[in-house]
Amino acid sequence: MSQMLMGAIAALSLVAALFFFRFWRRSGDRFFLYFALSFAIEGANRIALGLVGPASETEPLFYGIRVLAYGLIVVAIWQKNRPRG
């Protein structure tokens, strides 16, 4: 069951990445690019987790990749809301 959920999360993350890539291509806004990269990284991370096994989700490599993906979202939000000078 967890393998199926891992596959569903990976597939939906990659679909979200494609949507954000499309928005980025239309608008040229880096906000969408960061989100697309974040979801693509998260999708690839979930695929790797599905291939390795469910017990390894807390290993530093997979956790670090997840931190990187969520960090891109934080950077995107920060850049979008920072004051322009």
Side-chain angles (χ1 to χ4, degrees):
M1 183 69 174
S2 72
Q3 296 291 333
M4 186 178 81
L5 288 175
M6 197 71 70
I9 292 170
L12 293 174
S13 293
L14 293 175
V15 168
L18 289 176
F19 273 109
F20 282 116
F21 269 123
R22 187 176 70 178
F23 294 145
W24 172 67
R25 289 186 64 190
R26 285 186 182 172
S27 69
D29 192 351
R30 285 188 295 175
F31 177 80
F32 296 121
L33 179 62
Y34 286 135
F35 267 70
L37 289 174
S38 175
F39 278 102
I41 290 170
E42 182 64 20
N45 191 29
R46 294 295 176 166
I47 289 171
L49 274 170
L51 294 175
V52 172
S56 60
E57 190 170 354
T58 58
E59 289 193 20
L61 174 65
F62 296 114
Y63 191 77
I65 291 172
R66 188 178 306 160
V67 168
L68 173 69
Y70 293 145
L72 283 174
I73 291 175
V74 170
V75 168
I77 292 171
W78 175 74
Q79 283 194 348
K80 190 72 173 180
N81 292 314
R82 72 179 178 180
R84 309 225 186 264

